[in-house]
Amino acid sequence: MELFAVPDLPEIREGDDLAALIRERVDLREDDVVCVASTVVSKAEGRLFDLEEFPPSPRANELATRLGELTGEEKDPRFAQAVLEESTELIMEAPFLLTATRFGHVGVNAGIDRSNVADGDLLLLPKRPTESAERIRAGLDADRVIVTDTCGRPFRHGQRGVALGWAGLPASRDWRGERDRDGRELGVTVQNVIDELASAANLVAGEGDGGTPVVVVRGWSFGDHAGSDAHFREVDGDYVRQALREWRYT
Ligand code: GDP
Ligand code: MN
Ligand code: MN
Ligand code: MN
């Protein structure tokens, strides 16, 4: 298996046809997985906003004030307002805003990005990343597309790539019912392959000014397994999320 970045992509602007830009720069092969950083999907989809466009509600003012007091860093209430507007649930209010986005992803600041965009600008995540992935896939005539983001995760330092949307492959590969080397039947392992591929792609894409938001994974096979499209956990059965709702930062 091999991974490489699509070379020479320009700065992406609203209305750009990402699929066409990719197609012009790479000859895709059957079974390639094209991983696209959500940053450029958002730029193409016009998800770049100015802070001015988010006049803060009383709730956003309250959240920003409390965050500022707790962290000692001034927080812009307009930013808090943007986070609230992108979210269906505020899971943690401090020491950072952890929310669930409308499409089911849980992340700090609803995934709103201020890197690789101009000052004062906010880049919101794509509205429906799976639809974005489907659109790019159709435009590319590619087999498989994943829209990624860089995200922190609990219990570990640092960030890594995760999948926000996907098309042309199942989210997970189900090993249950298969056997390990001692013949024991596997009871629980459902391997989230889209996150694993997104992580690998993110390793190549980088985080800074590399200009490599699109990475092709070549030569990886899903294999002969059952698949599932379950990716984001439902609140029901997500015990960590339920516990966080009850928890308060002091
Ligand atoms: P995220 O992980 O989706 O939040 O995206 P990042 O901001 O981490 O950027 C991932 C990669 O895409 C980095 O190599 C950036 O330099 C690159 N990148 C971001 N925006 C653009 C763009 O508009 N054009 C190009 N060519 N590269 C970009
Ligand atoms: Mn991001
Ligand atoms: Mn990134
Ligand atoms: Mn193991």
Side-chain angles (χ1 to χ4, degrees), residues 149-150 202 206-207:
D149 194 19
T150 304
N202 203 52
E207 305 292 347

Side-chain angles (χ1 to χ4, degrees), residues 12 47 88 182 198:
I12 302 302
R47 300 283 285 156
T88 53
D182 293 316

Side-chain angles (χ1 to χ4, degrees), residues 2 19 23 30-31 35 58 63 70 74 77 80-81 98 108 112 116 146 149 175 184 188 196 202 213 218-220 237:
E2 170 195 8
R23 224 171 37 226
E30 201 180 329
D31 282 343
C35 299
L63 285 171
L70 285 169
E74 207 177 311
Q81 179 65 27
L98 183 75
V108 172
I112 298 177
N116 285 314
I146 297 174
D149 194 19
W175 294 84
R184 247 189 314 263
V188 295
E196 294 192 312
N202 203 52
R218 180 160 290 170
W220 176 77

Side-chain angles (χ1 to χ4, degrees), residues 132-227:
S132 309
E134 278 161 2
R135 209 160 37 241
I136 296 166
R137 178 172 177 248
L140 274 178
D141 201 20
D143 278 338
R144 313 187 273 188
V145 172
I146 297 174
V147 173
T148 71
D149 194 19
T150 304
C151 200
R153 57 264 152 89
F155 313 118
R156 283 166 146 74
H157 287 292
Q159 292 84 34
R160 56 100 191 252
V162 296
L164 299 182
W166 64 102
L169 77 169
S172 303
R173 180 152 84 166
D174 196 342
W175 294 84
R176 290 174 300 182
E178 300 190 29
R179 305 212 167 256
D180 73 5
R181 289 161 61 82
D182 293 316
R184 247 189 314 263
E185 190 172 310
L186 298 171
V188 295
T189 308
V190 178
Q191 184 182 22
N192 188 316
V193 293
I194 56 171
D195 267 353
E196 294 192 312
L197 291 162
S199 251
N202 203 52
L203 199 57
V204 176
E207 305 292 347
D209 64 358
T212 46
V214 182
V215 172
V216 177
V217 180
R218 180 160 290 170
W220 176 77
S221 155
F222 188 86
D224 186 20
H225 303 269

Side-chain angles (χ1 to χ4, degrees), residues 21-196:
L21 291 167
I22 297 166
R23 224 171 37 226
E24 287 161 9
R25 288 166 174 79
V26 64
D27 287 320
L28 291 175
R29 293 194 198 155
E30 201 180 329
D31 282 343
D32 281 349
V33 187
V34 181
C35 299
V36 187
S38 53
T39 290
V40 291
V41 176
S42 292
K43 285 176 178 173
E45 293 180 356
R47 300 283 285 156
L48 197 55
F49 294 89
D50 197 290
L51 269 174
E52 301 293 323
E53 292 175 85
F54 298 94
S57 60
R59 179 83 174 114
N61 276 317
E62 179 190 295
L63 285 171
T65 305
R66 177 145 185 269
L67 272 172
E69 285 166 5
L70 285 169
T71 64
E73 265 175 66
E74 207 177 311
K75 298 288 170 188
D76 195 313
R78 298 169 300 178
F79 185 79
Q81 179 65 27
V83 172
L84 289 178
E85 288 184 25
E86 282 297 285
S87 305
T88 53
E89 188 193 348
L90 182 57
I91 299 166
M92 276 172 62
E93 299 182 12
F96 46 76
L97 302 173
L98 183 75
T99 77
T101 66
R102 299 187 179 280
F103 60 90
H105 168 67
V106 171
V108 172
N109 295 332
I112 298 177
D113 213 323
R114 300 182 83 171
S115 65
N116 285 314
V117 297
D119 247 10
D121 282 349
L122 302 181
L123 190 62
L124 276 46
L125 288 180
K127 261 211 170 94
R128 283 178 280 275
T130 286
E131 287 176 22
S132 309
E134 278 161 2
R135 209 160 37 241
I136 296 166
R137 178 172 177 248
L140 274 178
D141 201 20
D143 278 338
R144 313 187 273 188
V145 172
I146 297 174
V147 173
T148 71
D149 194 19
T150 304
C151 200
R153 57 264 152 89
F155 313 118
R156 283 166 146 74
H157 287 292
Q159 292 84 34
R160 56 100 191 252
V162 296
L164 299 182
W166 64 102
L169 77 169
S172 303
R173 180 152 84 166
D174 196 342
W175 294 84
R176 290 174 300 182
E178 300 190 29
R179 305 212 167 256
D180 73 5
R181 289 161 61 82
D182 293 316
R184 247 189 314 263
E185 190 172 310
L186 298 171
V188 295
T189 308
V190 178
Q191 184 182 22
N192 188 316
V193 293
I194 56 171
D195 267 353
E196 294 192 312

